[in-house]
Every structure is written in C-alpha cells, then in structure tokens.
Amino acid sequence: MVAQALKIIPQQAGSAINIEAVSHRFDLEGAPLPVLDDIGFDIEPGSFVALLGPSGCGKSTLLRLIAGLDHPAQGHIRVAGAEVADPDPSRILVFQDPTLFPWRTVRANVALGLEAQGTLKSEGHRVDEAIRLVGLSGFDKAYPHQLSGGMAQRVALARALVNRPNVLLLDEPLGKLDSLTRLAMQTELTRLWQQSGLTAVLVTHDVEEALYLAQRVIVFGPRPARIVADLAVDLPYPRHRGDPRLAELRHEALGHLGLDSSW
Amino acid sequence: MASIDIAPGAGTGAHPPGPIQRVTLLASLGWFAAVAILLFWQDLTFQPLVRELALVWGAVGGVLVVLGLGGNRLGRVGRWTAQRAPWLLAIGIGAAIWTVLTAKTGILPQPFFPTPQAMLEVFIYDWPKILHSTSFSVWLLAKGFFFGAVAGFLIGVGMGWSRAVSYWATPLLRYVGPLPATAWLPLAFFIFPSSGSASVFLIAFSTAFPVAVLTWSGIASVNRDYYEIARTLGASPLFLILRVAVPAALPHVFVGLFMGLSTSFAVLVVAEMLGVEAGLGWYLQWAQGWAAYANMYAALFVMAAMCSGLITLLFRIRDRVLVWQKGVVRW
C-alpha cells in the first residue's frame, strides 16, 4: 500500500514560507481587535511545522493569511519568494470540518480542484491516485453523508493532495475526530507528508499531536498572538508516542503555555 | 408447491401465514355488495347505464378476488395490494354508500349530488371534451410554470449573488411579489394580445415569486466555507456560482418550485374561468352554465388527478436530483 503510493505521487518541492512582521486585527463593531502582533518566522521548504497555542489565539488567522483568504493588516507573507495575494491551488487549506460538498460523490469532491482549474480531462487519473493514497478506493461513488468522520477527513485530504500543492495548511484537521481515529490519522498524516515532500503547517491546540507530528513546534501565547517559544523536535520518524524525549518536550511546551503544574 | 410458497412469503415478511391476502378478498366483497345494491335496489328516478356501471364495479371486485387469491405470490403487485387493501375496501364501501345516498334514497338531493351512474355517463359521452380540456390546461400550465421557474431562478441567483441586483430587486419583490397574480387578471387580459398569453404570464408571475425568494434565501444560506474551499482550489467566480452556490441552494429551490406549482394551479383555474375559452377551468364554468352538476364533479375529479399528478412528478424529479440528501447509510 505504502510502496504503491510512493510510486504514485512524485516528490514535489515544498515551498519556503517567510513571515515578516505580520500584524492583523479584526474589526468588531468599530473596535479593532488585535489578533496577531508582529509575528515573524521562516519555514524551511519541505518541513513539518506545528503552530501550537490556546484556542482563539489567532493561529488559525495566520493560516488563513498564508492561504491568501485574508490579507494581513501589516507585514509580508511570502511563499516560495512571492508575496501571497490570493488563494492558489499550490497552497491548500484543510479545515477542522471536512466541509465536503454534500451533493458530490467522493470522487467528484476529490476532483473539485482539477475541475475548477479546468484540468480534469487531462489529469483525471490523479483523482483515483489521491483516493487510493488516503485508502478510500471503492468509496468513489459514496456521498459524504454515508461516510464516517475519519473517512470524510481523508476525502478532504485527498481533495487537497490531488492538486499537488507545495504547501499544505492544516487547521486542526483532526480536532473533531474520536481519539482512536485521531491516532490513526496522525500516523497517516506523517506518511502523506513524507511521501509528498511538501511543506506542512499544522495548527493545533493539542500538545501531543504537535510534538508527535512536527519537526518544529512554534508556541503562541494568548491573543494577540506572539511567539513565546520555538521548539525543535529532534526525533526521527516513525516516532514512538512513549518516547521519553517527547514527554520532556511536552513538559517544556506546557510550561510555555503556563500549564506545566499538572505535569 | 410448499417450497414455492415459502420463498416469496419469507421475502415480504408482511403477511407470514400463507400467500392469500384476506383483506384484499374482503375488499372484493365490498365491491360486490355495491354491485348488488346497484342492481337489486330500485332507483328513485330513472338512471342510465345501471348495467354498465354494475359491470365495471363487478370487474373491479373480480380482479380483487384474483389478486387476493394470488396474494403474496404476485411480487410487486402483491405487495401493492397488501399495502392498499384497506383503501380498496373503503373505496368499494364508499361507492355503495354513495349509491344509497343518491340514487336509492335521495338523502342527497338530485341533481346537485349526481348518482354514480350519471358520473359514468359523463365520462363515457363527454371524455373527448374532458381530455381536450385537460391537455389544454396541462400545456398552459407547463408553459407558464416553465417561464416562471426560469425567471424566478435567475432573479433569485442574481439577488443571492450580486449586491446591486439585490439592492434593486428586493424592494420590488417585497412590494409586488405578495400581490396575488389573479389581481393582475383584468389588466393582463387587456395588455396581452390573447387570453392565452395573458394566462401564461399570470401563471409565470405566480410561480416566479416563491421560486425567486426561495432560491435567493437558499443561496444566501450557503456555508461560506464552501466558497473558501473552492477558492483555494482555484475556482473562478462563475464556478463559484454554478458549481457551488446553485447546487447548494437546490433543496431550497425545490421548495420554491413546489410552492410556485401550488399557487399556479389556482391562477390557472381562475384564468380559464374568466377569459380562456378552453381548459378544465373553462369546462367547469361551462358545465355550471348548463347546470350539469355531474360534469362539474367530473371536471373536479380530473383536476385533482392532474394537480396531484404534477406535484408527484415534481417530487420524483426532486428525489432524483437531490439523491445526495437522503439519509440512507449504506456503509
């Protein structure tokens, strides 16, 4: 299965991401609400970075800015050296909810990007490859309401991967799954990232998830978000959840979030 | 024999003991009773076609005997009769009661409540006119409904999508839309070159309002995330309208189509009664002019069949188009 998939998706170049002095605020009934305060860091091409922080701290906003769905009030975001202006299929955002289109079958959902870009006719085989990659072969004709939460999120991943993005932006993609499916999907995510070679940015408030998946965990403080720590997870893949080094790092990360008293 | 019986009986499960459907047989008795009343109880006044009607009802009873004996062995037909047998019985008893109340005792006075024989006479001698009226009505309705649905849909999509369209169209829709289309009738007959085109306009008008409002609200209530997903995947504005907004709004659109179809029936009948010289509404009016009450009931009967048939058709189309909505879990 894995060997097969390795052949299917060619190694694609992940893009570097440069975030430079980005500040952002929302307008709440006339009163500006600052959400990001002078954030700056660089992400190596092809790396897996987790943005960790309390809920509502603004890390999802940062992800939307990288996706190009919103524009920062101040500062610059560059992906592969180019300023981010608009959404682009080379940078795909996967939401906490799978948000599959309920009127489309699994196959038609995965085909969405190619259809929108007008390349479905010539590149149709990529749809089947993506469905196989996430392990949903045989479910092509199923409708979203017939899928479990984990399956739906796999379809959402396939819908992103079919576009061969350089950057995969994951906004708590496993947040609504049950804990067992969640563990399985975490392993799956690492596998997909390793095979495709893309740059992955994961937003999460789950410390263990961030440490298990990412090579680097950037810890944010409460809103307006500032970087409070930048941890390197110097462990090879596949990782073991019981690794004492992970426990050490977890204690450190929770310390930065002010929650280390229980550990 | 026994082995043949077990297989289909086990499959349906509704009537486990034996293949015979007792209620279906009972229904046939109801129809035979109606025949007996018809033939052996003296009519108050002369009634036409007594023997012919007895033949028809007797035939229904005979068919029910066959179906009752064949019962669960008859596959789809058997399942249908098993489900509908109480209704078949009720209709037979209803026919008997109707005969007693009108032809036999006159509790319901003639000619306002026609006898079953008189109704049969209408269908036997006047069916070409009824058929022609029905086809005329259906065609008129189809034209008006089509134009109204298309116009309402386009207005709704425009309002849901464009602020400018919404700004100008909303007050107009709010002010003019709730006006019953029939209120336009006198003017429409005056403005349009023919009563036919005026009726098409009125039916279209009455259909367009609910379709526009529901399409609009459907598009306005589409989950914003669908647009963002499509945008990150490289969708153009046209793709967002045609492939995201419209399919997501379709359940609402069908509610609008249903409401539009229902109101268009009323407009159709009124328009036919007041100006158009054909159709079931006109037939109804014409029959009233001749005090032909049986013909009026016949027209009502056919009209009900037409309206419910069209609504059923719309629901079938909806079920086919919105198959993704069904909450049937297959995995």
Side-chain angles (χ1 to χ4, degrees), chain A residues 64 115 117 142 145 159, chain B residues 228-229 233 243 324 326 331:
Chain A
R64 289 175 58 86
E115 204 180 313
Q117 295 152 38
H145 70 76
R159 179 174 65 183
Chain B
E228 298 203 328
I229 295 261
L233 295 174
R243 296 298 163 96
W324 53 269
K326 282 198 181 151
W331 280 285

Side-chain angles (χ1 to χ4, degrees), chain A residues 98-144:
Chain A
T99 27
L100 303 178
F101 290 10
W103 58 90
R104 284 172 169 252
T105 59
V106 165
R107 190 168 203 289
N109 263 294
V110 175
L112 200 65
L114 301 180
E115 204 180 313
Q117 295 152 38
T119 54
L120 185 58
K121 278 226 172 95
S122 52
E123 300 288 317
H125 59 277
R126 273 158 59 178
V127 176
D128 300 303
E129 289 162 9
I131 293 174
R132 212 176 320 152
L133 190 66
V134 297
L136 282 180
S137 301
F139 287 92
D140 313 46
K141 293 199 177 81
Y143 282 100

